[in-house]
Amino acid sequence: MVQIILRVSRLYIIQLFAFLAIWLSSYYPGMDIFLSILYFLLIALEARSAQNLKKRDILIIIILWQGPAAVLGLMLLSGMNAGFWSMNAPFLLEFWATPLVALLTCFKGPLLAGKPLYYYCIIATPVLLGFYYYLLSIPFLLKQKNSIRWPF
C-alpha cells in the first residue's frame, strides 16, 4: 500500500510540475511541444519502475492517478448538466491535460457532433494515459538464446 501511495504521489508531482513548465514555456515556440514529449518520457520511466508490482496494484495506481479526469470525461460525455460542473468540467479536464495540450492542438480536424476533434481527444486523455502507463509497466521478457553475442 505504501508503494502505491508513493507512486501515485510521484505521478501527481510530475503532473503538477509538467503543468507549470508547459504553461511557462508556452511563450517560447516549440518549447511546449518538447516539454510534452519530455512528460511522456517521465511517465514512461515511472511506469517502467513499477514493473515489480502486481497488476492489481498497477491498476489501482492508474485509477488513483487518472480517476478524477476520467470522472470529468464521463460527465462531459453523458451530458450531465449539474450547475457548477456543467460549465467547469471542460476547463478542469483541459487543466488536467495541460501537459499534453501542446500535442493535442495538432489535431485540428473536423467537427463531431458540433465539437472539434480536440475536445474528444481531451476527454480520451485519461484513458490513453492509463493505457500507456499500464503497457509500459508490464515487464518485457527477452529470450537469451535469440540475443546477438559478441564473438570475443
Side-chain angles (χ1 to χ4, degrees):
M1 187 65 175
V2 173
Q3 283 290 325
I4 293 173
I5 293 170
L6 288 175
R7 291 185 190 281
V8 171
S9 299
R10 281 198 303 249
L11 286 168
Y12 277 131
I13 289 170
I14 291 170
Q15 186 97 11
L16 178 67
F17 282 108
F19 163 74
L20 291 173
I22 290 172
W23 174 59
L24 292 173
S25 71
S26 64
Y27 297 107
Y28 304 102
M31 185 63 119
D32 53 351
I33 293 174
F34 170 74
L35 288 176
S36 291
I37 294 169
L38 184 63
Y39 172 76
F40 268 119
L41 292 175
L42 286 174
I43 296 300
L45 289 174
E46 181 61 32
R48 299 300 287 164
S49 72
Q51 285 185 345
N52 58 348
L53 296 177
K54 298 176 189 172
K55 288 183 181 181
R56 178 184 60 91
D57 294 341
I58 293 170
L59 290 175
I60 291 171
I61 290 169
I62 292 169
I63 289 169
L64 290 175
W65 174 44
Q66 290 296 321
V71 169
L72 289 172
L74 288 174
M75 288 172 63
L76 289 174
L77 287 176
S78 69
M80 181 185 234
N81 295 324
F84 174 80
W85 294 110
S86 66
M87 295 189 324
N88 292 322
F91 168 73
L92 292 172
L93 192 56
E94 189 170 351
F95 177 76
W96 188 272
T98 297
L100 304 175
V101 167
L103 297 175
L104 293 178
T105 55
C106 298
F107 295 116
K108 295 179 182 175
L111 297 177
L112 300 171
K115 296 194 173 30
L117 185 61
Y118 174 81
Y119 178 79
Y120 295 106
C121 288
I122 286 180
I123 291 174
T125 297
V127 174
L128 295 176
L129 278 176
F131 191 65
Y132 177 70
Y133 186 89
Y134 183 75
L135 283 179
L136 291 175
S137 63
I138 297 171
F140 293 108
L141 301 174
L142 297 175
K143 296 180 180 177
Q144 291 295 326
K145 65 180 180 180
N146 292 336
S147 64
I148 299 173
R149 297 186 185 177
W150 288 99
F152 36 163

